[in-house]
Amino acid sequence: MKYINTPHYDHSSQAKVGVLITNLGTPDEATKPALRRYLKEFLADPRVVEVPRLIWWMVLNLVILNIRPARSAKAYQTVWTDEGSPLMIHTQHQAQALSDHLKELGHNVIVKYAMRYGNPSITNTLDEMAAEGVQRLLVLPLYPQYCGATSASTFDAIASDFTQRRWIPELRFVTHYHDDAAYIDACAEKIKAHWEDHGKANKLLFSYHGIPKRYLTNGDPYHCECYKTSRLIAEQLNLDEDEYMTTFQSRFGREEWLKPYTDETLKSFPSAGVHSVQVFCPGFSADCLETIEEIGEENREYFMEAGGKRYEYITALNAEVGHIHALSQLIERNLSGWNTKTTATENAQQLTQQRAKAMGAAQ
């Protein structure tokens, strides 16, 4: 086997620390061909769809990839911006904000982002980090609640990449942070800020991405972690049990997924006397198709058509200050012992280099 080499590596160089944040992914464009490439990579992952490979290959390639890309492209077109997909934009901003804040805290780390599916790929980003001399790597998948289809799949991609490299860095991997105090605080403060501007509704709905129920029965902790996140946020908000509810969205296929389903719950609310609802998605670290289009638009229609009077989607934490500070605290704890703090001399050298680059660019 031919390994990826690092022939120009300087063995006397100081070890650099890298932080890689990852998210699910996005197509390169809101077009049918781009969606077909993206969905093929995504749905071919055995962590995502646990079906015998031969059977699933036929279903995926002969049925799904001939039908779903066109429909998905239309959905993406409704949220696409001049800069690209919302998930890509927010993740870029998160990486930059984390880099800036960690520097303010005195950490000398290289922060980059990658997507599990699509671009920028994990492999290409690891190439960049290796070229910059990263010898110690912290990977933070931006999935607060652990799930085999997300967190473990990201680990699979990292591990698979490392099997092809001659030299691999020290590795630390954050599997979940569903009950992290700073993360819970950031979620609660986001909701409080919305209440200050709009007031409360009859019900606060916590909607999480769904997974097949059999993943739960096979031992996946995702369901339990979602409910714990909801409970902790509700406690921070001093909510009674009848004031909030946990549901699951985005199901796919015919088998049973985690219940209650978000869409069916919203359709049933008006007849049960719930005429105003606010929806927050604690499992999504950044707004994307599933929050903007599915929750913000599609499920709004279900609720209003069923007789609802007031529907509000509370946006994701994205790159807001509270979220960045929470993630920075999480990163700091997981960097412990790696000596990432810069000295005054190093800070001065970095500042001089930055000024020199700025002057060169201006000339």
Side-chain angles (χ1 to χ4, degrees):
M1 178 176 179
K2 185 176 182 180
Y3 292 97
I4 300 173
N5 298 317
T6 53
H8 302 297
Y9 172 66
D10 182 358
H11 293 271
S12 64
S13 63
Q14 183 178 359
K16 292 183 180 179
V17 176
V19 176
L20 175 63
I21 63 171
T22 68
N23 215 313
L24 188 73
T26 178
D28 295 322
E29 301 173 324
T31 63
K32 180 180 176 180
L35 260 299
R36 194 178 195 282
R37 291 193 301 272
Y38 173 72
L39 290 173
K40 185 172 184 178
E41 181 183 8
F42 173 43
L43 296 176
D45 186 344
R47 287 280 194 181
V48 174
V49 182
E50 296 184 24
V51 172
R53 291 295 90 190
L54 179 58
I55 294 175
W56 181 243
W57 186 94
M58 291 188 291
V59 172
L60 176 61
N61 289 278
L62 301 180
V63 180
I64 295 175
L65 292 180
N66 289 320
I67 297 174
R68 193 167 180 183
R71 184 168 68 246
S72 294
K74 290 181 179 179
Y76 269 100
Q77 288 166 10
T78 66
V79 302
W80 210 263
T81 73
D82 292 339
E83 298 176 80
S85 75
L87 180 62
M88 179 68 72
I89 297 167
H90 290 307
T91 308
Q92 289 175 342
H93 293 168
Q94 288 169 334
Q96 185 59 58
L98 283 170
S99 179
D100 293 342
H101 187 55
L102 289 169
K103 286 180 181 178
E104 291 173 0
L105 295 173
H107 294 286
N108 183 19
V109 295
I110 296 171
V111 180
K112 290 187 180 292
Y113 73 96
M115 296 297 176
R116 174 62 183 89
Y117 314 102
N119 296 305
S121 70
I122 286 176
T123 291
N124 288 344
T125 305
L126 289 176
D127 282 342
E128 294 176 3
M129 300 183 89
E132 293 184 42
V134 169
Q135 300 175 41
R136 291 172 172 170
L137 177 67
L138 171 64
V139 180
L140 172 59
L142 295 179
Y143 311 120
Q145 298 77 26
Y146 175 92
C147 180
T150 54
S151 307
S153 176
T154 302
F155 182 84
D156 289 349
I158 296 289
S160 176
D161 177 270
F162 283 177
T163 63
Q164 303 174 60
R165 295 182 185 273
R166 181 172 300 280
W167 187 94
I168 62 174
E170 294 180 55
L171 176 66
R172 294 179 181 177
F173 190 93
V174 179
T175 59
H176 59 175
Y177 53 98
H178 68 289
D179 56 357
D180 178 78
Y183 156 72
I184 296 298
D185 285 343
C187 291
E189 290 303 315
K190 174 72 176 183
I191 296 168
K192 288 179 183 177
H194 186 88
W195 285 349
E196 290 177 1
D197 293 335
H198 305 280
K200 290 185 179 181
N202 296 148
K203 187 82 73 174
L204 176 62
L205 199 66
F206 295 115
S207 182
Y208 298 83
H209 200 292
I211 60 173
K213 183 180 178 181
R214 60 189 168 90
Y215 293 8
L216 166 63
T217 59
N218 287 336
D220 197 299
Y222 179 72
H223 176 267
C224 300
E225 294 194 357
C226 290
Y227 270 91
K228 185 174 184 181
T229 296
S230 295
R231 176 176 59 80
L232 292 175
I233 297 174
E235 289 175 357
Q236 285 285 82
L237 298 172
N238 295 314
L239 292 176
D240 293 330
E241 289 186 4
D242 63 345
E243 293 182 284
Y244 74 96
M245 186 174 180
T246 295
T247 61
F248 298 90
Q249 64 184 84
S250 310
R251 64 187 184 277
F252 172 74
R254 296 182 179 181
E255 71 174 302
E256 182 179 356
W257 282 42
L258 297 181
K259 292 182 177 180
Y261 299 142
T262 298
D263 55 356
E264 292 185 358
T265 299
L266 287 167
K267 292 174 183 178
S268 70
F269 268 171
S271 62
V274 179
H275 295 285
S276 64
V277 63
Q278 293 165 333
V279 185
F280 182 64
C281 301
F284 292 87
S285 61
D287 277 313
C288 55
L289 180 71
E290 287 81 4
T291 62
I292 299 172
E293 194 273 338
E294 184 179 353
I295 295 298
E297 298 176 14
E298 181 181 336
N299 280 273
R300 176 195 300 273
E301 292 180 6
Y302 294 149
F303 179 70
M304 301 303 284
E305 289 175 358
K309 303 299 182 185
R310 174 185 164 204
Y311 180 101
E312 295 164 4
Y313 166 60
I314 302 174
T315 58
L317 297 176
N318 297 318
E320 295 182 11
V321 173
H323 191 206
I324 297 305
H325 287 187
L327 293 177
S328 295
Q329 290 181 40
L330 181 64
I331 289 169
E332 282 191 299
R333 288 201 304 275
N334 283 276
L335 289 177
S336 178
W338 274 358
N339 300 320
T340 60
K341 291 283 188 175
T342 56
T343 65
T345 300
E346 290 171 334
N347 284 330
Q349 291 175 343
Q350 290 178 9
L351 183 59
T352 299
Q353 292 173 354
Q354 291 172 359
R355 287 174 176 172
K357 288 182 179 179
M359 292 177 63
Q363 291 177 351

